[in-house]
Amino acid sequence: MDRQQQQQAQMMTRTSNTGLISYNGSPMTVDDEDELSKSALLAFRVKEEEIKKKKMEVREKVHAHLGRVEEETKKLAEIREELEALEDPRRKEVTTVRKRIDLVNKELKPLGQSCYKKEREYREALEAFNEKNKEKAQLVARLMELVTESERVRMKKLEELSNNIESLSQLVPR
């Protein structure tokens, strides 16, 4: 590793210059520049390979940890199920009854609304019925007054007629 790092440092020094002077101060030739390019490319590839290798190692570690985490999660789920079973032996029955209660509550709600609506309709119909009965009673009372008045007037008229006939019969001899 130390040797690779030294080579990389040298290449960095070479590439950071204008390309005309080498790191030791002598002028560079085209071959030197090609050599420098090749070694820079080689160093880059080596570094890339090193990064890939590290990346694969990290991936493997992550996968190993994930596998262990999944196993531990399964174990925890099993433990939780066992705990729940220990808590209440009638838990399933309780859950079933609770669900049934929820269903009945859902059914009760529209029935309650229907009852309320029908009670309101009943009260309205009863009120209308009572009003009509009251109106009928008033009309019957008025009818009775009219009939009574009519009978009184007719009786009075009949009495007058009867009196007229009697007075006429007294005037006319028999």
Side-chain angles (χ1 to χ4, degrees):
M1 263 322 212
D2 287 339
R3 187 171 179 195
Q4 282 181 345
Q5 288 175 348
Q6 287 175 352
Q7 286 176 347
Q8 288 173 355
Q10 287 175 355
M11 283 188 224
M12 292 301 231
T13 306
R14 290 178 190 164
T15 55
S16 65
N17 292 332
T18 60
L20 298 175
I21 301 173
S22 70
Y23 79 98
N24 61 8
S26 60
M28 292 184 73
T29 63
V30 174
D31 289 338
D32 287 340
E33 286 179 18
D34 284 344
E35 181 71 30
L36 183 61
S37 296
K38 286 179 185 176
S39 72
L41 186 60
L42 179 64
F44 177 74
R45 286 183 184 156
V46 167
K47 198 64 172 171
E48 282 295 312
E49 286 299 319
E50 188 178 318
I51 290 170
K52 283 181 186 178
K53 187 177 177 182
K54 284 279 188 189
K55 192 174 178 181
M56 290 303 290
E57 288 174 6
V58 169
R59 264 195 195 141
E60 288 172 6
K61 286 180 183 178
V62 167
H63 285 291
H65 283 295
L66 284 176
R68 279 186 250 135
V69 167
E70 286 176 7
E71 288 176 21
E72 294 301 319
T73 302
K74 287 178 186 175
K75 288 179 185 176
L76 286 173
E78 290 172 4
I79 291 170
R80 183 175 12 137
E81 287 176 13
E82 289 177 21
L83 277 174
E84 288 175 359
L86 287 175
E87 284 179 19
D88 189 359
R90 296 223 174 228
R91 185 179 183 112
K92 285 184 180 180
E93 189 175 344
V94 168
T95 302
T96 303
V97 170
R98 282 184 179 162
K99 286 180 181 178
R100 185 72 180 128
I101 289 170
D102 289 341
L103 284 174
V104 169
N105 276 338
K106 287 179 183 177
E107 292 170 0
L108 276 176
K109 186 177 180 180
L111 289 174
Q113 290 173 341
S114 177
C115 281
Y116 176 75
K117 181 181 176 185
K118 288 180 182 184
E119 283 176 352
R120 190 181 70 233
E121 288 173 357
Y122 169 77
R123 279 187 254 115
E124 290 171 357
L126 183 62
E127 187 178 314
F129 176 78
N130 288 337
E131 285 179 24
K132 288 296 178 185
N133 258 348
K134 185 177 176 182
E135 184 180 351
K136 176 185 170 187
Q138 289 172 346
L139 290 172
V140 166
R142 178 69 179 137
L143 177 64
M144 293 301 289
E145 286 175 15
L146 290 173
V147 167
T148 304
E149 180 68 23
S150 174
E151 286 176 356
R152 192 180 55 79
V153 168
R154 286 189 320 183
M155 287 300 279
K156 187 178 178 182
K157 192 71 165 170
L158 282 173
E159 268 184 46
E160 284 177 16
L161 287 175
S162 183
N163 286 342
N164 283 342
I165 291 175
E166 275 182 33
S167 59
L168 281 175
S169 41
Q170 285 174 358
L171 288 175
V172 175
R174 278 190 183 196

